[in-house]
Amino acid sequence: IHSTIITTWYIIYRHQLRNNKMNSITKENKEIVIRFFEALSSGSDAYLDFYTDDSVIWTAGDNAIGGTRTKKEIIDFAKGVIDSFPDGIKFKITGITAENERVAVEVNGEAIHASGKPYNNQYHFLLTIKNGKIIELKEYMDTQLAAKILLGQ
């Protein structure tokens, strides 16, 4: 009986340790994503520090906005997008769910385009975080609105 109690206690203890470790990783990754969107909203290039040189950024859409880009490619692409909003885009997280290295985020983006047209888009991002950096970002949004405002389509 004594060894059964010790074995049961050990199994429960290991399970709690594993859950606490996963919970701390999940919490840390959520905080990284929140800071990423704060940096993105600031209008500075600080958001780039959240990527590694090997990060992959994918955006939904079958147009000039959509596709897969590396960090190096996103620098020029994002600069063109950000520059078309003189006061920047303010991103507001409306929902966040995380499990281990994956963080899903619902975001509202509000801005005024250089043309004077409002740009209020809704996004869903799925980010994969490893060692404190975003290694993959997937972006889903209203691509028709983006094309209309950004590409004049």
Side-chain angles (χ1 to χ4, degrees):
I1 292 177
H2 183 65
S3 68
T4 303
I5 292 171
I6 291 174
T7 303
T8 303
W9 177 85
Y10 179 74
I11 291 169
I12 292 169
Y13 177 73
R14 284 187 42 95
H15 179 73
Q16 287 174 338
L17 279 179
R18 188 174 60 233
N19 282 343
N20 286 339
K21 182 178 180 185
M22 287 191 313
N23 287 337
S24 70
I25 290 169
T26 297
K27 183 179 177 189
E28 179 182 320
N29 287 339
K30 284 170 94 173
E31 290 170 3
I32 289 167
V33 169
I34 290 167
R35 289 195 315 269
F36 170 75
F37 281 100
E38 289 171 347
L40 202 54
S41 291
S42 75
S44 75
D45 290 344
Y47 73 94
L48 294 170
D49 295 337
F50 289 84
Y51 294 119
T52 70
D53 289 339
D54 298 323
S55 294
V56 174
I57 299 95
W58 175 86
T59 302
D62 189 17
N63 54 33
I65 296 166
T68 301
R69 295 175 178 87
T70 63
K71 178 182 177 181
K72 186 175 181 178
E73 293 168 325
I74 205 71
I75 291 171
D76 291 333
F77 177 78
K79 182 172 178 13
V81 171
I82 292 169
D83 287 351
S84 66
F85 297 99
D87 296 324
I89 302 174
K90 299 301 177 209
F91 293 98
K92 179 182 176 191
I93 294 174
T94 59
I96 186 167
T97 304
E99 184 177 355
N100 301 323
E101 74 274 355
R102 292 167 51 103
V103 182
V105 190
E106 294 175 294
V107 177
N108 286 337
E110 297 183 0
I112 301 295
H113 188 259
S115 66
K117 294 179 182 175
Y119 179 77
N120 301 316
N121 210 334
Q122 295 176 330
Y123 302 85
H124 183 274
F125 293 90
L126 179 59
L127 300 95
T128 304
I129 315 290
K130 286 202 178 162
N131 300 319
K133 297 286 186 176
I134 298 168
I135 61 164
E136 182 180 47
L137 180 145
K138 292 181 177 181
E139 176 184 20
Y140 302 85
M141 67 176 137
D142 180 346
T143 55
Q144 286 184 313
L145 174 64
K148 178 180 172 185
I149 299 295
L150 296 173
L151 304 175
Q153 296 179 350

